[in-house]
Amino acid sequence: MATKKQPDTTKTYTKYVRWFWILFLTVILGVILVFSLASMGALGEMPDHTQLENPETNLATEIISADGVTLGKFYFNDNRTPVGYDELPEHLVDALIATEDTRYHDHAGIDARGTIRAFAFLGKKGGASTISQQLARQLFVGVRSKSILEAITQKVKEWVIALRLERQYTKEEIVAQYFNIYDFGNNADGIRSASRIYFGKEPNEIDLRESAMLVGMFKNSSLYNPRRNPEGVTNRRNVVLAQMNKYGYINETIKDSIQELDLGLNYTPESHREGIATYFREYLREFMKNWAEDKSNRKPDGSKYDLYSDGLKIHTTIDSRMQTYAEEAVSNHMPKLQAEFFHQNTPRRNPTAPFLELEREEIKDLMNRAMRRSERWRVMKKEGKKDKEIIKSFDTPIKMKIFSWDAPNKEIDTVMKPMDSMRYYKSFLQPGMMSMDPQTGHVKAWVGGMDYKHFQYDMVKQGKRQVGSTFKPFVYATAIDQLHLSPCDELPDIPFCIEKMKYGNMEEWCPKNSGEKYGGTRTLKNALANSVNTITAQVMDKVGPQPVVDLVKKLGVESDILPVPSIALGTADLSVYEMVAAYSAFANKGVYTKPVMVTSIVDKNDTVLYQFSPVSRDVLSEEAAFVTVKLLEGVTLGGSGIRLRTYGADKHKPEFKEIITGYPYGFTNPIAGKTGTTQNQSDGWFMGMVPNLVTGVWVGAEDRSVHFKTITYGQGASMALPIWGMYMKSCYADEDLNISMEDFEEPANLTIRVECDKDSEDSQKDQPVIEYGPDELDF
């Protein structure tokens, strides 16, 4: 019987092994081929060495204060400011690795185990993208395509680029880049913006709870948006904490305790209209625009720097602490002042509110002019609308947001006619304030208004208003410099006129004292302290208006000033910026120093592109400047600024409770200052100086016909001085600022008498204080 032939199992086994190796080598060679093709760009453009070294990312320009705080940024779409690995807290990095790439330190860009797992289970047990691959996608590949073929191609490119990144950078640098490139939503591009916007902190200040939330957003920042989906974000944060516990970064107790907490958001949006120093930032935008246009400030390739994407750093002189104190002083005083203004201008008390001394036709003309100058008119005109259609739209009620001091966020949703909203906005009193170091010219605080979102006209440098009695020190300084007049020199307090045709006067000029009160003689110190117009007119007559104008021009004032006698009482329109710079020369021993706002500009690699050069010049003798300062000290010792030093007036003077915000101030140190009030109380000023800080404050409405009826509320000592007082109290309370409480330095060879006889001073102390009204000093 024939036996059945058995199959050759050895040959069969050998065949399978051969096919396995053929298949294996084919896959390996295929992978190598695909990687090689991808590297050569056959699957699409790939970054070269230079691009890997300097990836193209839009970086916001950062505005940095003198004390190292970010005041704001300039950007269009990407609000990104990169940070280094050393600025990332350890728990933030741990959270990322535990959640996104647990074997991050064990692979070279591709996680083989994760990739095999993803293929085997079709991604159901987690993906395989490493941090390096995700960075590659963010930087060079882009959003995953919906096409399967294109998605596979993108994945291959990610692998190749990830390997290159791992060769190019350290693990720490890759982590930092990943945190810097991610878009966390709500204009939070990169970890620094995200930390500041969601928690009001720098990255190195965030805690574990906050780190876990931010890392959780890497899954999908649109879906896990803490403002729109707090519950989902909380759940995702808790997943991150669980991962950290799983891989030993935190223990069970810490995990459980944090999972019980809310997100702890402190939403602080970063936009051009919000945040600190908004008016200064807008001034800076124009400064940078002009700087970039200058052909001497170009990139090495000859192109212009882009303010919104080149990652410049602008180092400014603004001190964030002093800026905050200035804005707080404005925010504390202006609501009280505005409430009193509204109280005095109800329809029953003032049928033409908010205007005074205008007929109804004049008001109509004023509003029509304002309508044609409005942004709404400009936009509709640009759209080709006819005048009749545009005018009709101003009388058609629409939904809008309007400013209100009483609203939590200073905004009210309402329905209103645009014309009515314009009249409503004209009823608001507005501030302007600037503070400067007189020696260096460094501007420390700049408040151009009370809310940039609703009032965008800057009242520090753009706006110019009549300065009232704050101009008088320039007249006195001219006389001291040219004639060596002393604060103790006396002049008769009598009606006085400068005749017709003298100094170009077309008519006889006869200024009157407030309340038309005259009598006796006054020292120059007493006259300036009490803003006595007749004495100032006599001093002007002694020196003439042209030398006064010449002095003011040397003190940096660029506005046009007619050389006529009436400028002695402050008829000129000047800006807060000009006034502070000019007054600073008195505190700086007669040397004018041009205000400095920007100290340097550097690029993203910290290469210096601009360095400021100080501009200064001698204007007055040191003696004349010191004597002028001593005159101005009299204003706060016994004149219109004395409420800076007094106590108790709020007990029996109602206006102190209503609008003298922050009273009593209780200053005892030397302060040189001057109040100013223009005709009809349209403008209120206060200029105040200590040896190393000069600050000017203006308060008034957009239109001069909008003002308080009486000088009690409308004078500079009521409208502007309280802001100065509160600001300085805050500055003095912050000892790190080192604001001087010392005397102004006396010249070595002082020849002009500054300390007047006690008897002479006592004989005049009961003279009426002009800007305070009757019995103002009786407290």
Side-chain angles (χ1 to χ4, degrees):
M1 182 177 177
T3 58
K4 188 175 181 182
K5 189 177 181 180
Q6 297 294 321
D8 190 342
T9 56
T10 302
K11 289 184 178 180
T12 304
Y13 177 75
T14 302
K15 182 175 68 173
Y16 285 141
V17 170
R18 187 188 311 116
W19 278 108
F20 170 79
W21 282 108
I22 290 172
L23 182 62
F24 178 76
L25 291 174
T26 301
V27 171
I28 295 297
L29 290 172
V31 170
I32 293 172
L33 177 63
V34 170
F35 270 70
S36 299
L37 290 172
S39 297
M40 292 184 291
L43 300 183
E45 186 179 356
M46 295 286 283
D48 58 23
H49 177 77
T50 303
Q51 289 173 308
L52 283 172
E53 199 168 57
N54 295 288
E56 287 188 13
T57 54
N58 292 332
L59 303 178
T61 288
E62 188 176 7
I63 307 164
I64 304 171
S65 71
D67 54 322
V69 174
T70 298
L71 298 174
K73 299 177 186 178
F74 293 125
Y75 64 91
F76 272 140
N77 296 316
D78 296 328
N79 177 23
R80 179 177 293 104
T81 304
V83 298
Y85 182 83
D86 59 346
E87 297 176 70
L88 304 175
E90 184 178 359
H91 50 68
L92 178 68
V93 177
D94 291 344
L96 175 69
I97 292 173
T99 309
E100 298 291 330
D101 191 352
T102 58
R103 286 179 290 278
Y104 176 66
H105 289 290
D106 300 327
H107 62 68
I110 299 175
D111 181 4
R113 287 172 56 187
T115 302
I116 293 171
R117 183 194 64 220
F119 275 116
F121 295 98
L122 300 177
K124 293 179 180 179
K125 291 192 175 183
S129 286
T130 65
I131 292 172
S132 304
Q133 288 174 241
Q134 293 180 53
L135 177 61
R137 180 167 68 247
Q138 292 276 349
L139 287 175
F140 303 109
V141 178
V143 179
R144 180 75 73 235
S145 173
K146 293 181 179 179
S147 164
I148 296 177
L149 183 60
E150 286 184 12
I152 293 172
T153 301
Q154 286 178 323
K155 194 66 180 178
V156 172
K157 290 171 68 176
E158 280 177 26
W159 284 338
V160 174
I161 296 171
L163 293 172
R164 289 184 178 181
L165 288 171
E166 290 274 353
R167 291 197 299 269
Q168 185 82 29
Y169 298 102
T170 66
K171 289 286 187 179
E172 290 76 15
E173 288 171 334
I174 289 172
V175 166
Q177 285 196 62
Y178 185 56
F179 274 113
N180 285 327
I181 198 64
Y182 193 74
D183 179 0
F184 290 87
N186 296 305
N187 289 328
D189 299 294
I191 190 63
R192 183 152 187 255
S193 293
S195 300
R196 289 169 57 86
I197 288 173
Y198 291 123
F199 303 112
K201 299 179 180 180
E202 293 297 331
N204 59 5
E205 297 172 333
I206 60 176
D207 60 26
L208 176 58
R209 171 176 59 161
E210 295 157 347
S211 293
M213 189 203 88
L214 293 174
V215 168
M217 293 177 70
F218 278 118
K219 188 172 181 67
N220 185 333
S221 60
S222 295
L223 174 62
Y224 296 107
N225 184 318
R227 296 189 69 211
R228 294 198 303 262
N229 182 16
E231 183 178 351
V233 173
T234 301
N235 292 336
R236 180 62 188 165
R237 178 205 64 186
N238 292 345
V239 169
V240 173
L241 291 168
Q243 287 292 103
M244 294 183 75
N245 172 241
K246 177 180 178 181
Y247 292 103
Y249 291 107
I250 59 175
N251 59 38
E252 193 84 18
T253 303
I254 293 175
K255 182 204 75 168
D256 292 342
S257 63
I258 297 178
Q259 286 182 340
E260 293 297 319
L261 302 175
D262 60 17
L263 294 175
L265 288 180
N266 176 21
Y267 185 63
T268 311
E270 289 187 346
S271 72
H272 304 308
R273 293 187 176 190
E274 296 170 299
I276 192 173
T278 47
Y279 291 89
F280 173 75
R281 281 153 45 194
E282 192 57 34
Y283 156 78
L284 200 58
R285 188 200 303 272
E286 192 64 25
F287 174 92
M288 290 301 298
K289 178 182 176 182
N290 294 334
W291 177 84
E293 290 291 338
D294 190 328
K295 292 183 179 179
S296 64
N297 299 322
R298 296 295 167 91
K299 295 180 183 179
D301 63 3
S303 62
K304 291 192 298 185
Y305 282 98
D306 190 323
L307 179 63
Y308 304 100
S309 63
D310 278 339
L312 303 177
K313 294 186 181 72
I314 309 169
H315 293 275
T316 73
T317 61
I318 296 294
D319 187 293
S320 69
R321 298 160 296 182
M322 298 172 75
Q323 180 69 31
T324 299
Y325 301 150
E327 293 184 8
E328 286 175 349
V330 166
S331 294
N332 287 334
H333 179 58
M334 294 307 297
K336 294 182 69 174
L337 194 66
Q338 191 65 50
E340 180 59 31
F341 183 81
F342 282 148
H343 175 70
Q344 295 184 21
N345 282 274
T346 60
R348 182 175 61 82
R349 292 186 175 93
N350 179 15
T352 61
F355 307 102
L356 289 171
E357 295 101 29
L358 289 184
E359 300 295 332
R360 294 192 182 276
E361 280 302 311
E362 292 176 304
I363 294 173
K364 184 178 179 180
D365 290 343
L366 184 153
M367 293 302 299
N368 282 334
R369 290 194 302 271
M371 175 180 66
R372 293 173 182 273
R373 292 196 306 267
S374 69
E375 179 68 7
R376 181 183 182 84
W377 182 280
R378 186 191 68 79
V379 170
M380 295 184 74
K381 199 71 176 173
K382 190 176 180 179
E383 292 172 350
K385 303 288 176 59
K386 296 186 181 300
D387 287 5
K388 186 176 180 180
E389 184 180 358
I390 299 174
I391 293 170
K392 183 180 178 181
S393 75
F394 274 84
D395 283 319
T396 303
I398 59 172
K399 291 182 179 180
M400 64 174 71
K401 293 180 183 292
I402 60 171
F403 176 83
S404 172
W405 281 116
D406 296 329
N409 60 353
K410 299 181 185 177
E411 274 190 341
I412 293 176
D413 291 308
T414 188
V415 175
M416 185 181 286
K417 296 178 182 178
M419 184 64 84
D420 291 340
S421 74
M422 287 173 55
R423 187 160 182 159
Y424 171 75
Y425 277 108
K426 284 184 177 294
S427 68
F428 278 92
L429 300 172
Q430 301 180 38
M433 177 182 180
M434 185 175 118
S435 193
M436 168 178 153
D437 183 324
Q439 280 82 43
T440 63
H442 288 193
V443 174
K444 297 298 184 180
W446 177 306
V447 184
M450 54 199 179
D451 187 273
Y452 184 77
K453 189 174 182 180
H454 292 275
F455 304 93
Q456 295 181 15
Y457 195 70
D458 175 41
M459 291 307 301
V460 168
K461 204 166 191 291
Q462 279 183 297
K464 298 183 179 183
R465 296 295 288 262
Q466 284 189 348
V467 295
S469 294
T470 55
F471 194 88
K472 289 177 180 177
F474 302 130
V475 179
Y476 283 83
T478 304
I480 292 167
D481 195 45
Q482 294 188 357
L483 306 177
H484 274 231
L485 294 186
S486 163
C488 306
D489 289 340
E490 297 184 4
L491 290 173
D493 182 7
I494 58 175
F496 180 83
C497 294
I498 294 180
E499 59 266 29
K500 182 179 179 180
M501 301 310 293
K502 189 175 184 180
Y503 305 125
N505 247 9
M506 299 305 294
E507 300 289 339
E508 184 179 54
W509 184 59
C510 303
K512 298 178 180 179
N513 287 342
S514 178
E516 297 192 37
K517 295 182 180 180
Y518 310 93
T521 61
R522 289 180 181 267
T523 62
L524 297 187
K525 185 175 183 179
N526 178 274
L528 182 62
N530 295 298
S531 284
V532 180
N533 294 336
T534 56
I535 304 293
T536 305
Q538 292 175 64
V539 176
M540 172 62 88
D541 192 37
K542 290 179 182 293
V543 296
Q546 188 60 57
V548 176
V549 173
D550 293 342
L551 172 67
V552 170
K553 290 295 182 180
K554 291 176 185 176
L555 293 174
V557 172
E558 296 180 351
S559 301
D560 293 332
I561 302 177
L562 290 174
V564 294
S566 60
I567 63 171
L569 304 187
T571 56
D573 287 346
L574 304 180
S575 67
V576 172
Y577 174 91
E578 290 173 309
M579 290 294 288
V580 171
Y583 265 65
S584 291
F586 299 143
N588 193 30
K589 302 179 180 181
V591 179
Y592 166 78
T593 302
K594 185 177 181 180
V596 178
M597 282 71 74
V598 177
T599 55
S600 66
I601 302 169
V602 300
D603 66 13
K604 63 183 180 181
N605 299 315
D606 288 332
T607 302
V608 177
L609 307 176
Y610 166 85
Q611 192 84 38
F612 93 100
S613 298
V615 177
S616 63
R617 55 177 173 267
D618 292 338
V619 177
L620 290 166
S621 68
E622 184 178 348
E623 182 178 48
F626 179 75
V627 173
T628 304
V629 166
K630 297 305 286 185
L631 272 172
L632 290 167
E633 283 184 356
V635 174
T636 67
L637 288 170
S640 55
I642 195 173
R643 57 181 58 173
L644 288 172
R645 303 187 181 280
T646 60
Y647 292 87
D650 51 333
K651 294 180 180 178
H652 54 88
K653 287 188 174 293
E655 68 271 17
F656 275 75
K657 293 180 180 179
E658 292 158 357
I659 61 169
I660 311 303
T661 318
Y663 181 87
Y665 310 105
F667 295 116
T668 58
N669 57 294
I671 298 172
K674 188 70 191 81
T675 57
T677 309
T678 60
Q679 189 175 19
N680 296 330
Q681 301 81 241
S682 295
D683 307 274
W685 289 79
F686 185 74
M687 304 295 301
M689 301 187 292
V690 295
N692 64 352
L693 193 65
V694 177
T695 305
V697 183
W698 166 88
V699 174
E702 177 185 345
D703 297 279
R704 298 184 195 275
S705 56
V706 179
H707 56 79
F708 281 105
K709 289 182 180 181
T710 66
I711 198 150
T712 301
Y713 295 93
Q715 62 181 297
S718 298
M719 292 210 293
L721 179 144
I723 293 175
W724 191 94
M726 287 186 290
Y727 168 67
M728 291 300 292
K729 280 178 71 174
S730 296
C731 288
Y732 279 128
D734 190 338
E735 295 182 0
D736 291 338
L737 295 176
N738 198 28
I739 305 301
S740 175
M741 297 191 74
E742 307 300 318
D743 287 316
F744 289 87
E745 186 177 348
E746 183 176 316
N749 299 309
L750 182 63
T751 63
I752 299 175
R753 181 180 168 212
V754 294
E755 298 299 336
C756 305
D757 291 340
K758 184 176 184 298
D759 291 342
S760 176
E761 289 296 295
D762 286 347
S763 68
Q764 299 173 69
K765 68 180 180 181
D766 293 326
Q767 295 283 350
V769 177
I770 303 307
E771 290 195 329
Y772 277 63
D775 302 320
E776 190 66 27
L777 283 181
D778 188 26
F779 54 81

